[in-house]
Amino acid sequence: MVGSCLSVQWSDTAPPGVTYVADGRIVASFDPFDREVFAAPDPDVVERWIASSAAGGDMWDDDWALAVLVTAEALCEGAVGEAWIQATHVGVRV
């Protein structure tokens, strides 16, 4: 697998989660409400990834949902708007 993927999930029936994968490996995976408890590979790596993301650590602390969108826009190099929503996206679940 080549490239990167940002996966975000939240709903009423499943725990929330953010996962960033690059070049076939999980770089950071965490629960945005409790980053230390469910952090992979470990909390320090997750915090470094958050700090280096386009949103930065303060935004992740203040409004993780907005931070996800800012990060996604930076990864996609475009706005997450109507055109993006209507576009075809590829998802692979392993």
Side-chain angles (χ1 to χ4, degrees), residues 6-76:
L6 179 66
S7 172
V8 181
Q9 66 185 35
W10 70 91
S11 74
D12 292 340
T13 59
V18 176
T19 302
Y20 178 68
V21 175
D23 298 324
R25 67 177 186 84
I26 293 176
V27 175
S29 183
F30 57 95
D31 177 331
F33 292 112
D34 197 353
R35 297 192 308 233
E36 290 195 12
V37 173
F38 299 106
D42 64 59
D44 291 335
V45 171
V46 167
E47 292 303 320
R48 282 195 302 274
W49 179 83
I50 286 171
S52 69
S53 73
D58 289 340
M59 187 178 292
W60 281 95
D61 291 340
D62 294 339
D63 187 344
W64 73 267
L66 178 58
V68 163
L69 291 176
V70 168
T71 302
E73 286 183 341
L75 292 171
C76 294

Side-chain angles (χ1 to χ4, degrees), residues 65-90:
L66 178 58
V68 163
L69 291 176
V70 168
T71 302
E73 286 183 341
L75 292 171
C76 294
E77 298 178 353
V80 177
E82 189 62 30
W84 183 86
I85 291 168
Q86 297 301 324
T88 301
H89 303 284
V90 177

